[in-house]
Amino acid sequence: MAKITDITKPIDLLHHAKGTGHKRLQKPVYMNFMPPCNSACPAGENIQAWLDDAQAGRYEEAFQQIVKDNPLPAIMGRICVKPCETGCNRNHIDTTVNIHAVERYIGDLAIEQKWKLPAPATKTGKRVMVVGAGPSGLSAAYHLTRLGHEVEIFEADALPGGLLRWGVPEYRLPKNILDAEIHRILDLGIRLHVNYRIHDLLKEKEARGFDAVYLSIGGHLAKKQEIPGESSIPTFHAFQFLRKFYNKELPAMGTKVIIYGGGKLAMYIARIIKRLGLEAIVLYEGDRKTMQANDYEADDAMDEGVDIQFLHKIKSIDGQVVLVEKMEVVKNKPASTGEEISMEADSIIFALGQEVDTSLFHSVEAVQTKPDGGVVVDANRMTGYAGIFAGGDMLPGEQKSSTNAIGQGKKAAKYMDAWLMGTVYEKPPKPPTAGYKRLHIWYQTEAPASAQPRQKPELAAQNFNEVVSGLSEQHAQYEAQRCLSCGNCFECDACYGACPEDAIIKLGKGKGYEFNYDACTGCSICFEQCPCHAIEMIPEPENVS
């Protein structure tokens, strides 16, 4: 890495002037900018750093870099919604770096090689109660344990994992992968209580001597929409169906099933219905653009034979006859056309969204909730009751995804640690993001992404085996090498070779460079030749008014 200046706030006076003559008006400075992948990651992973380790074959180092932020890489390498890839600067050249696939490779290798998580810090003597063993609760428990606190998790279900266990189908997340990563976290010394539903939060906290509580019960309730006549046909809410399915308790559903909703939950359920040998029809009142499910989730469902009918809203039900109103989109919202059609179905599954069960907070008046059940927290992630924090799907306005829940757990752990230790956590400033327009790529960079092997759709729809397979080591390394190292020096020697004044000094492999400002004229050639924008031209102090 180059010898750098750490940016803590955007610089107002950056400019890209050419040569400046005898008096140097500006000087080059090595800096670290924020890569767009890192900036977009809800879990706050240093993606660029672990990709650097992976491309060099340092896989265990890459694993240890990932788990500084996310203790579930094999899981998230499979089910993450991939905002990092949306932000990747390679999208302006060919296709994104297949970041999640490399993370999955590293996560799977860690399970295979039985790599351990970092040992906890010295014990603080503080005890924390975590309610809910979903991704946010597991993340918070992990980070709190690493900080030296004693953590116990209380889970209402028989097994940990929350929606990771019974909300994500086996064809997307095999249970052996889920169990391996959860057990690795628990092996740090975290005590797990299963089949333990908390009824009186404060009583439980005080009786067991906990100093703080983290609430992470998630959105386990399905949003309801009353439809006339729905009792005349077998109907299920999304989570009711999934629990019955995983407990092998499904009643007869007929041969034609309507799934009502447009999120990833609706896609998961529709693909399960297909694998049960039934006809799956998804009705959604919006169009493809307003659909909450990601494009790839809808594409996979349709490829497997799911019939997705957009702009269709259920009006009423009379036995097997479903009255549907055709919709149109007006100002990005579905609007009635007045046209109605009839459809037939043997059963209906409602997958209209998630809500939080607020019954847990009834005994704690200071904990405030929103109408959708979301828990109100302050800037420190604490509820209205001192020492009770909340995160994940419970927070109103947050995107409901496992990656976001993991990030929420990590953030909450930092604020909780500070509160427990009598200090205040101050979020470090975020450097400017190195967007594509900042880069000066002068070399040939086209290198198409590696596609992950996958079952053919017609075969995938007949079994619950994992649809998408992992990359080989060769392809994982290749994908990591496609990283442009946006905003951070990777010692390509472009600046060193381009400097006409020999003003750049090489410090040795891994140590980067430094400038000899006695020789530098401020011509900015090094800046123009740096492909990743790890150099910025800074006005000289005497030229700043």
Side-chain angles (χ1 to χ4, degrees):
M1 286 292 106
K3 203 168 185 178
I4 63 159
T5 296
D6 184 25
I7 292 183
T8 59
K9 61 182 178 179
I11 296 175
D12 297 329
L13 298 170
L14 300 186
H15 63 285
H16 303 158
K18 300 282 184 178
T20 57
H22 294 295
K23 182 179 181 182
R24 191 174 69 207
L25 303 178
Q26 57 183 357
K27 67 178 182 180
V29 179
Y30 288 108
M31 293 182 170
N32 276 346
F33 288 89
M34 175 69 75
C37 54
N38 292 19
S39 181
C41 177
E45 291 184 23
N46 190 343
I47 295 169
Q48 189 180 96
W50 60 255
L51 283 176
D52 181 62
D53 284 325
Q55 66 177 270
R58 301 188 297 266
Y59 301 119
E60 187 166 7
E61 288 90 337
F63 169 74
Q64 293 299 335
Q65 180 64 55
I66 293 173
V67 299
K68 287 180 180 179
D69 303 295
N70 166 26
L72 305 170
I75 293 172
M76 299 319 300
R78 287 168 164 83
I79 68 170
C80 181
V81 294
K82 306 177 288 188
C84 58
E85 296 181 15
T86 301
C88 177
N89 279 333
R90 281 207 75 102
N91 285 311
H92 298 276
I93 298 169
D94 41 36
T95 53
T96 177
V97 176
N98 201 343
I99 297 169
H100 77 282
V102 183
E103 183 170 23
R104 169 177 169 166
Y105 175 80
I106 295 166
D108 286 353
L109 189 61
I111 293 173
E112 178 187 319
Q113 298 294 323
K114 296 181 171 57
W115 292 336
K116 301 293 184 181
L117 294 169
T122 303
K123 295 293 186 181
T124 65
K126 302 294 185 180
R127 303 185 67 243
V128 181
M129 173 186 191
V130 173
V131 183
S136 187
L138 291 168
S139 174
Y142 162 71
H143 287 287
L144 287 163
T145 301
R146 284 192 60 181
L147 290 165
H149 306 303
E150 182 183 341
V151 181
E152 295 186 31
I153 304 176
F154 294 80
E155 170 57 49
D157 280 331
L159 293 169
L163 289 176
L164 292 176
R165 182 170 299 280
W166 53 269
V168 183
E170 190 94 3
Y171 66 75
R172 186 84 180 274
L173 176 59
K175 295 297 181 285
N176 64 312
I177 298 296
L178 174 65
D179 289 335
E181 295 211 309
I182 291 177
H183 290 155
R184 187 171 58 205
I185 292 173
L186 298 178
D187 285 346
L188 292 177
I190 298 168
R191 185 177 179 186
L192 172 67
H193 305 267
V194 295
N195 292 319
Y196 200 117
R197 185 176 296 278
I198 303 294
H199 296 287
D200 190 324
L201 187 61
L202 292 182
K203 182 179 179 181
E204 200 79 45
K205 173 181 179 295
E206 293 164 6
R208 292 178 175 268
F210 289 108
D211 299 291
V213 176
Y214 181 63
L215 302 174
S216 56
I217 58 175
H220 286 202
L221 297 182
K223 286 186 178 179
K224 297 180 180 179
Q225 179 177 324
E226 299 297 330
I227 296 177
E230 67 175 277
S231 61
S232 64
I233 190 175
T235 59
F236 307 87
H237 290 288
F239 298 132
Q240 177 190 20
F241 166 80
L242 287 169
R243 284 188 178 277
K244 287 181 176 292
F245 169 72
Y246 285 118
N247 292 330
K248 297 181 173 54
E249 298 173 350
L250 274 183
M253 302 183 69
T255 60
K256 189 174 184 178
V257 181
I258 286 178
I259 301 93
Y260 192 35
K264 61 185 175 185
L265 201 58
M267 300 302 106
Y268 286 164
I269 291 172
R271 294 173 73 184
I272 289 174
I273 292 296
K274 284 294 296 183
R275 283 162 172 74
L276 294 175
L278 310 178
E279 182 180 355
I281 302 171
V282 173
L283 300 184
Y284 175 56
E285 64 178 318
D287 62 5
R288 183 68 182 264
K289 290 182 180 179
T290 61
M291 196 176 201
Q292 300 98 322
N294 292 300
D295 285 342
Y296 62 85
E297 292 168 329
D299 289 341
D300 287 349
M302 290 188 287
D303 287 345
E304 291 177 6
V306 173
D307 180 10
I308 301 179
Q309 298 189 24
F310 298 98
L311 299 171
H312 281 60
K313 179 180 181 179
I314 297 180
K315 294 287 289 183
S316 63
I317 303 168
D318 184 6
Q320 292 180 299
V321 179
V322 181
L323 184 64
V324 176
E325 181 179 13
K326 289 191 174 183
M327 310 293 284
E328 61 182 351
V329 173
V330 178
K331 295 182 180 181
N332 295 321
K333 292 184 178 181
S336 174
T337 64
E339 182 181 354
E340 296 178 345
I341 60 172
S342 294
M343 302 178 64
E344 290 189 358
D346 297 309
S347 55
I348 299 175
I349 301 172
F350 293 94
L352 299 169
Q354 302 167 239
E355 292 183 343
V356 177
D357 182 359
T358 61
S359 61
L360 178 62
F361 321 126
H362 292 169
S363 61
V364 191
E365 294 181 2
V367 177
Q368 298 179 338
T369 60
K370 294 285 188 178
D372 66 352
V375 177
V376 178
V377 296
D378 63 16
N380 297 317
R381 309 294 163 127
M382 188 156 60
T383 67
Y385 191 96
I388 297 182
F389 298 75
D393 290 352
M394 298 183 71
L395 299 192
E398 293 288 341
Q399 182 192 29
K400 289 178 171 50
S401 74
S402 297
T403 319
N404 194 54
I406 288 171
Q408 291 286 338
K410 182 185 77 170
K411 292 173 186 175
K414 293 178 180 179
Y415 287 105
M416 293 178 73
D417 172 65
W419 185 83
L420 287 164
M421 304 309 292
T423 62
V424 177
Y425 173 69
E426 294 184 5
K427 185 178 179 181
K430 188 175 180 180
T433 299
Y436 182 70
K437 290 183 179 180
R438 286 182 176 267
L439 308 185
H440 306 134
I441 300 175
W442 44 262
Y443 50 83
Q444 178 63 35
T445 59
E446 288 191 19
S450 299
Q452 292 174 256
R454 57 189 302 141
Q455 291 191 70
K456 291 182 178 180
E458 59 272 20
L459 295 177
Q462 298 177 25
N463 63 75
F464 283 90
N465 297 333
E466 202 166 5
V467 174
V468 180
S469 301
L471 295 176
S472 66
E473 179 182 4
Q474 178 184 0
H475 285 109
Q477 271 202 2
Y478 166 77
E479 276 304 309
Q481 290 165 359
R482 294 179 68 236
C483 174
L484 298 173
S485 193
C486 306
N488 294 279
C489 176
F490 60 97
E491 298 185 13
C492 68
D493 279 353
C495 59
Y496 178 78
C499 180
E501 307 299 334
D502 291 331
I504 296 177
I505 304 166
K506 294 182 71 169
L507 302 177
K509 185 173 177 61
K511 299 179 181 179
Y513 318 87
E514 68 180 15
F515 290 107
N516 176 3
Y517 289 117
D518 291 335
C520 174
T521 64
C523 70
S524 80
I525 289 177
C526 57
F527 163 82
E528 293 166 353
Q529 290 298 307
C530 179
C532 60
H533 197 106
I535 299 174
E536 189 58 272
M537 300 303 295
I538 305 297
E540 291 284 15
E542 63 268 23
N543 297 305
V544 178
S545 58

